Structure formats: C-alpha cells, structure tokens
Amino acid sequence: MQVDDLENAGNPTPLLTARQAGLVACTGCGRVHEQGVERCERCGAHLSSRDTTSLQRVWAWWFAGLIIYFPANLYPMLITNTLGTEYKNTILGGVIELIDHHSYFVAGVVFFASIMIPVGKFIAIAYLAYSVRHRATMSDHGRQVLYEVVEFIGRWSMIDVFVVAILSSLVQFNFVASIHPGIAAISFALSVAFTMLSAQSFDPRMIWDAEEAATE
Amino acid sequence: MTETRLDPSELVACPNCDTLHHMQDVPEGARARCMRCNEILMAPKGGAMTRIVVLAVTALILMIAVVFFPFLDLSASGLEQHSSVLDAIMAFSDGMLLPLTFAVAAFVVVLPAVRLMAIIYAIGPLIFDRPARPHAARAFRLAQTLRPWSMAEIFIVGVAVALVKIAGMATVSLGPAFWALVALVLVTTIKDTFMCKLTIWKTLETQRRS
C-alpha cells in the first residue's frame, strides 16, 4: 500500500476507472463506451463493465482440470516395448528415468513443466479467485504479476504431451523397440487446456476493484 | 481527468484494471504504461505494420516447409525411421487417443497458421493505405484469441526433450522441417514484439470509416 501512495503522490488527480465514470471499457482494445453499449464499436467484442460470470467459470474449469489431473498422474504416459518387454511410465516415472540416465537438466525441465507448473497453477488460480472475495495478503501489484505469470507459463505444461507424440512417432522398430502413448497423455492435455481456460476466464479488473472499494 | 464531461473517444481504458487514461500520441519506440497497474497500453514502433505482415507471410511459408519436409531421422543398428511433423501428429491416431491427434494438429500447425492468415488478412490492406477488408476486426480479434493456443515454440522444446530421451539408444539427425520450425518460432516471436494492439485497433477503426 505504501508503494501505491508514493506513486500517487506526484499525481494530483486520483485515478478514475471507467466504471466509476459511468462508462464501459472494452478489454480487447481499450475503447471506452457509454454505459449500455452491447458490442465494442471498434473491435466488436462483447462489452461488460465487470464480467459477473467470471468467477463461476474460473472455478468450473479449475475443478474440471483438477479432477482430470489425477488420472493424468496415475496412469501411464508412455508405454515402451523393448524386445517383448513392456515398460509403463507415468509422468513422474519419466522424470525419474531421466535422472537415472543422468540427464539432470532435461529431467529438471520436464519436472518443472509437468509437475511444478500444473500444481503451482492450481494453487495460484485458486488464490487469485479466493482473494477477490476475501481479504488478500498479497498486494494488488503482486497479484497482477501472479496472474500474468499464470497466463504466460500455463501453456508450457503441454511439453510432455508433445514429447510423447514425437517419441511415439519416431521410435517404431516393431518388436525391437517401440514407444506408444498412454492414456494419461489425453488426461494431461485436457488438464492443461482446462486450467488455461480457467485462467483466461479470470477478469483481472476484479483484483483492482477490491482496492477501489476499500478507499471509498 | 476529472472534468465534468468525459468524451469516450478521447479515452483509453486499461484492459487489466479499468483505469481511464487520456489518449495521447506516443512517440515511436516509447512505451505508455497504465498509471495504476503498469500494464503496457501502447508500444508503437516505426514501420510496425509492414514488418508484421512481412514476417507473418514468411512464417506462413515456413509452415508449409514444416509440414511437408522430413522432420527427424532416427537410425539405430541398421534400422532407420523417418518422421515428419505429420507423423508426430498421427502418433495418437489409434483408439482412445484420437482426440489428442486433433489437439496436437491444432496446437502445432492449424491454429498458428490460422492466426498468421488472420493477421495478414486484417493488417495487410492497411500497409497500402487501403480500407480494411470486411470482418477485418473479427479476424484480428481471432488472432488475439488464438495467441495462447499457438504452441509451436512449446513443440520445439518438446522435440529437444524427446531427443535427449532417445539419444542413448539411437542416432537422430535433424531434417529441414526441424530448422524451418525453429525459424518459424523466431519469426513469429519477432513479429509479436512489433504488435501494438491499440495502434492496430485505432488504424483498423479509421480505415473502416474512410
């Protein structure tokens, strides 16, 4: 809060939001309209002063992503056949195998993308959605950065799905060695997509509304 | 900002936090940030529109190379296996995993290509000072929506990880499609740095009126 006050100190007029001014802003292109306009005159996007269904959609996608995240980790991601022997690897199993092969850097990348990012994203989105309705311990700027990080980094979890696709197409030597995708690949891809949709449903203006309500 | 009468057409609202700002001319190369949340509102660059279109056309041509040229060659003890991007997409094509084939095809090839075409369609006429084409706004909005779902750069990292995983058991050589994909990712990234949404939207708006 202190930082905010310092920044505003040199600014004689308080910041005004479109909603306070009785206007509606387009989140797509920034164009400002009189209240009651349905579609943006510049870009054609649907206008709403605040997305009232935002939190509902955030939680719906969040739960869908979480439910499907369990089979994604419990079932095999990759099925390897070497001379008649079948190995099944889960996501975590794949990371452990990389460590066994001393590929620590790549193991780190896969661990970060397939385990750290999804878990971190569930926590971050839940915190952001929760903090809109309750007292937040993190500053507005902090939560804004958190939201941007979630939006930016979430899609990178898809790495493991692509790895499975490439390996399965490349390693096809009949019974000598072959790699097939496991059922977890589809659950994991869906989980990533659902959490991306969850993050996209979040209306970041809600982060700043709380501050507005507090100063009034 | 507290005059009694606010003219909406002279204002711009931060898409992140709804704070109103007066529209000002931002010099090329400079960045205008939101006073409250620090979001970049405008970052116009000289000749940006031309560069965006040229780079988008380049990326689209590279995409053709990515799909049709050989991608990776694998050889292990006399056995050889060629793989194209199309093969990687078809990896999930049997049984339960079929939907994933469509998803990978969409993320790696279809959506990036559609996004590039939408950008060329919407911005192309503007660099020749022609009026915007019908539905240009819809096309540019589509390009914005597709941005998080175009995952060519993530696919590249996936290839790198896959190569490390099989490095022990086979020799892999990279085909022209692989390098085309690397170039495509670089070109797309450079193109996106020239993209100033607000400048493009304003130009689209004025070109539609005239």
Side-chain angles (χ1 to χ4, degrees), chain A residues 7-8 11 13-21 23 25-34 39 41-46 49-50 78 94-95 97-98 103 106 109-110 141 144 147-148 155-173 176-177 179 181-186 189 192-193 196-197 200 203-206 208-209 211-212, chain B residues 1-2 5-6 8-9 11-21 23 35-39 71-77 79-84 87-89 91-92 94 96-100 103-104 107-108 137-138 141 144-145 147-166 169-170 172 197-198 201-202 204-205 208-209:
Chain A
E7 274 182 356
N8 281 346
N11 185 19
T13 52
L15 298 172
L16 188 69
T17 65
R19 186 172 66 169
Q20 287 169 325
L23 302 166
C26 175
T27 48
C29 68
R31 178 96 153 76
V32 183
H33 301 263
E34 301 286 351
R39 291 211 162 263
E41 284 160 24
R42 185 190 279 156
C43 73
H46 179 76
S49 181
R50 288 297 178 273
L78 210 60
V95 175
E97 200 189 56
L98 279 168
S103 308
V106 178
V109 170
V110 176
H141 280 278
Q144 176 69 40
Y147 169 70
E148 277 164 20
R155 37 205 291 282
W156 284 92
S157 298
M158 217 51 112
I159 288 179
D160 227 24
V161 176
F162 293 145
V163 172
V164 172
I166 296 154
L167 286 178
S168 327
S169 71
L170 210 52
V171 185
Q172 290 297 343
F173 298 124
V176 179
I179 292 179
I183 196 74
I186 200 162
V192 175
M196 278 174 73
L197 288 166
Q200 285 173 15
D203 187 346
R205 292 178 295 189
M206 294 189 296
W208 303 89
D209 286 346
E211 180 200 84
E212 203 176 286
Chain B
M1 215 179 277
T2 45
R5 197 81 190 106
L6 289 166
S9 63
L11 297 170
V12 55
C14 172
N16 242 335
C17 70
D18 212 29
T19 304
L20 291 173
H21 301 264
M23 192 71 93
M35 291 203 285
R36 179 150 73 153
C37 74
N38 218 23
E39 166 93 351
F71 189 60
L72 297 169
D73 284 334
L74 188 70
S75 55
S77 48
L79 294 163
E80 243 187 271
Q81 175 77 38
H82 306 279
S83 170
S84 68
D87 292 326
I89 289 168
F92 298 115
D94 39 76
M96 290 272 290
L97 295 160
L98 183 64
L100 211 48
V104 174
F107 292 149
V108 181
R138 187 173 296 179
R141 206 144 47 88
Q144 295 298 323
T145 316
R147 192 169 178 179
W149 302 98
S150 312
M151 301 189 179
E153 71 274 30
I154 300 171
F155 188 73
I156 288 269
V157 179
V159 172
V161 172
L163 291 183
V164 171
K165 280 200 172 193
I166 47 175
M169 56 191 265
V172 183
K197 267 197 310 181
L198 197 58
W201 278 123
K202 281 200 306 191
L204 275 173
E205 193 177 34
R208 192 179 45 195
R209 280 192 192 138

Side-chain angles (χ1 to χ4, degrees), chain A residues 26-89:
Chain A
C26 175
T27 48
C29 68
R31 178 96 153 76
V32 183
H33 301 263
E34 301 286 351
Q35 203 109 51
V37 181
E38 285 279 306
R39 291 211 162 263
C40 176
E41 284 160 24
R42 185 190 279 156
C43 73
H46 179 76
L47 292 175
S48 65
S49 181
R50 288 297 178 273
D51 189 345
T52 44
T53 61
S54 169
L55 280 182
Q56 215 172 320
R57 282 183 293 126
V58 169
W59 284 118
W61 288 121
W62 189 88
F63 277 112
L66 185 69
I67 289 165
I68 209 145
Y69 185 64
F70 289 105
N73 280 284
L74 296 174
Y75 285 95
M77 187 86 171
L78 210 60
I79 302 162
T80 316
N81 273 301
T82 326
L83 299 167
T85 331
E86 197 176 73
Y87 301 96
K88 288 182 173 172
N89 259 337

Side-chain angles (χ1 to χ4, degrees), chain B residues 16-99:
Chain B
N16 242 335
C17 70
D18 212 29
T19 304
L20 291 173
H21 301 264
H22 275 289
M23 192 71 93
Q24 281 166 353
D25 280 329
V26 179
E28 281 174 0
R31 281 174 168 186
R33 285 178 181 273
C34 173
M35 291 203 285
R36 179 150 73 153
C37 74
N38 218 23
E39 166 93 351
I40 296 170
L41 296 176
M42 274 182 103
K45 291 193 174 79
M49 301 260 190
T50 315
R51 285 181 195 174
I52 289 168
V53 174
V54 169
L55 290 169
V57 171
T58 314
L60 207 54
I61 295 166
L62 285 167
M63 185 59 96
I64 297 167
V66 168
V67 176
F68 293 106
F69 287 163
F71 189 60
L72 297 169
D73 284 334
L74 188 70
S75 55
S77 48
L79 294 163
E80 243 187 271
Q81 175 77 38
H82 306 279
S83 170
S84 68
V85 171
L86 228 46
D87 292 326
I89 289 168
M90 296 306 284
F92 298 115
S93 63
D94 39 76
M96 290 272 290
L97 295 160
L98 183 64

